[in-house]
Amino acid sequence: MIDFQTVLDTIHQEIGSRKEWGNVAAYIPELADIDNNKFGIHLIDFNRKNYSIGDSNESFSIQSISKVLTLAMALGLVGEDLWRRVDVEPSGDPFNHLSLLEQENGIPRNPLINAGALVVADVLVSRLKNPKEEFLAFIRKISNDPSIKYDEQVALSEKNTGFRNYAAANLLKSYGNLSNDVDVVLDFYFHQCSIAMNCAQLAKTFFLFINRGNCMQEQTYLNVNQAKRINALMLTCGFYDEAGEFAFEVGLPGKSGVGGGIVALLPNEFCVATWSPGLNKKGNSKLGMEALEKLTSDTDLSIF
Ligand code: GLN
C-alpha cells in the first residue's frame, strides 16, 4: 500500500523549496494580484481517503478546468451528437488560437480549447432553462458541496478582457456552429471560468472520472464509455500545446487552468488536484506540473 501522505509531504518539501515559481496570469486583476508563493495538493484515493498538504484549502479560479465539467454535462444531455460540432483531436496550439478554427470551417479541434468550450457552452445554453443556475447545481451535486460558487467579479473581468473569446464566438457563429446569441453564450462561458474551488473540492468534483462516471455518492452522471472518452480527451488535449509534455512527464489524464490549478487522475486509483498560480510559458502551472511528475515517478502510478 502506498502511503500517499508521505509522498505528498516529500513533494511539498522538495517542490516548495524551488526558486522558480513561474508567473501568475496577468490579463485580469483578480489573477494578477494573487501571491504566486502558494502551493497546495489534495489527493483522494479510490477508497475515498483524503490526503493533503500546503494551501490545499485556499480557493482559486478554476478557469479552463471548468471545460471538462461543461463537457461532462453536455455529453450527458446530448450524447454522441456532440461530436458533429466539435472534433476530438489535439490542436497543438495555445488555448485561445483561432487560425485552425477558420481553416477547419468552424469545427473546433476539441472541447478543451476555448472555441470547443464555446460550442459546448452553446449546447448547454440551448438545452437548459436556466443554464448558469443548472450548471452550478450540477457541480454542487457531483462534488456534494453546496458552497461552490461563481465569482462574479472574475466573470466581469473575463468579459471586459475577453476579446479573443468574442472573436472565437463570432467566427463559430459565422460558420453556423453557434445556435444562440454570441453574448449569451459568452456570458455563460465567462461564468464557468469564474468558478472558485480549492484543491480538495476540485479533487472531489473529479472523482466521477476515476469511478466510471459515478460521483462519490455513487450517483451516475456518465456511462462508462463517456467517462472513458472524457479521460482520453484530458490526456490528449488537456494542456493545449503542452499536452504531449504532460503525458510524457506525468502520464495521466488531466486539465489545467490559468488560475494555476491542475487536476489529474488515474481511473480506479486516485484523483489529485494541485494549485500553484505561477505559470510556465505555455500557461500551465509550473510547480503543479513538477509536483505531478514527482507524484507519478515516486509512486510508479500512471496510465503507462
Ligand atoms: N478565461 C480564460 C480564457 O477563456 C481561460 C483560459 C485558461 O484557463 N486557459 O481566456
Side-chain angles (χ1 to χ4, degrees):
M1 267 280 278
I2 290 171
D3 177 0
F4 281 117
Q5 193 57 50
T6 303
V7 174
L8 296 193
D9 292 346
T10 312
I11 293 173
H12 190 239
Q13 244 172 16
E14 192 179 307
I15 305 289
S17 63
R18 295 274 157 87
K19 301 244 168 344
E20 270 295 308
W21 285 62
N23 298 313
V24 297
Y27 70 100
I28 56 173
E30 292 77 13
L31 296 182
D33 290 348
I34 289 173
D35 176 7
N36 85 335
N37 200 18
K38 300 271 183 187
F39 179 55
I41 311 183
H42 190 102
L43 185 147
I44 304 184
D45 70 14
F46 199 54
N47 299 318
R48 297 165 173 73
K49 268 199 84 178
N50 289 267
Y51 309 85
S52 56
I53 192 88
D55 302 308
S56 60
N57 280 320
E58 206 168 310
S59 255
F60 57 90
S61 192
I62 70 165
Q63 292 289 332
S64 282
I65 297 172
S66 66
K67 291 169 179 164
V68 182
L69 303 171
T70 51
L71 174 62
M73 194 179 191
L75 202 54
L77 287 170
V78 301
E80 301 294 299
D81 277 355
L82 185 66
W83 308 125
R84 290 191 205 165
R85 294 180 56 189
V86 56
D87 208 344
V88 294
E89 292 297 336
S91 69
D93 275 340
F95 62 91
N96 56 6
H97 262 217
L98 299 171
S99 47
L100 274 179
L101 186 61
E102 173 140 51
Q103 272 168 41
E104 296 176 355
N105 302 318
I107 302 293
R109 271 289 169 107
N110 67 70
L112 302 182
I113 53 172
N114 286 20
L118 288 167
V119 169
V120 173
D122 185 56
V123 168
L124 293 180
V125 168
S126 294
R127 286 291 182 126
L128 305 173
K129 225 174 175 175
N130 298 301
K132 284 189 280 188
E133 290 76 4
E134 289 175 54
F135 175 59
L136 189 58
F138 172 74
I139 292 188
R140 287 173 170 176
K141 270 204 297 201
I142 60 175
S143 59
N144 194 33
D145 189 336
S147 72
I148 293 170
K149 290 200 284 280
Y150 293 118
D151 182 329
E152 291 296 340
Q153 196 51 49
V154 170
L156 185 63
S157 289
E158 292 287 338
K159 181 178 177 184
N160 292 337
T161 56
F163 307 111
R164 294 188 78 88
N165 287 317
Y166 277 93
N170 279 294
L171 210 46
L172 288 164
K173 188 85 181 166
S174 77
Y175 283 108
N177 200 5
L178 210 70
S179 310
N180 299 281
D181 280 355
V182 163
D183 286 316
V184 175
V185 176
L186 286 169
D187 179 58
F188 180 88
Y189 174 77
F190 294 140
H191 275 83
Q192 73 172 75
C193 288
S194 83
I195 286 178
M197 285 193 203
N198 60 36
C199 292
Q201 291 169 320
L202 198 50
K204 285 176 192 161
T205 307
F206 273 68
F207 190 88
L208 84 166
F209 300 106
I210 69 167
N211 192 30
R212 300 166 158 255
N214 307 305
C215 73
M216 286 202 300
Q217 285 64 45
E218 290 300 339
Q219 218 170 322
T220 304
Y221 290 93
L222 296 168
N223 64 39
V224 177
N225 243 325
Q226 290 169 331
K228 180 181 84 176
R229 301 212 192 291
I230 293 179
N231 286 339
L233 284 166
M234 280 197 262
L235 181 77
T236 54
C237 312
F239 296 80
Y240 321 113
D241 47 341
E242 205 169 34
E245 177 79 8
F246 193 81
F248 183 80
E249 295 288 346
V250 178
L252 296 174
K255 184 74 199 85
S256 62
V258 288
I262 297 181
V263 61
L265 54 99
L266 183 59
N268 305 315
E269 294 285 346
F270 67 82
C271 181
V272 60
T274 62
W275 177 53
S276 175
L279 307 177
N280 64 20
K281 289 204 170 67
K282 305 269 169 108
N284 298 312
S285 170
K286 183 169 172 9
L287 295 196
M289 274 183 74
E290 290 176 22
L292 292 169
E293 186 280 323
K294 194 163 164 48
L295 174 72
T296 54
S297 297
D298 287 1
T299 60
D300 206 9
L301 285 173
S302 85
I303 63 166
F304 305 110

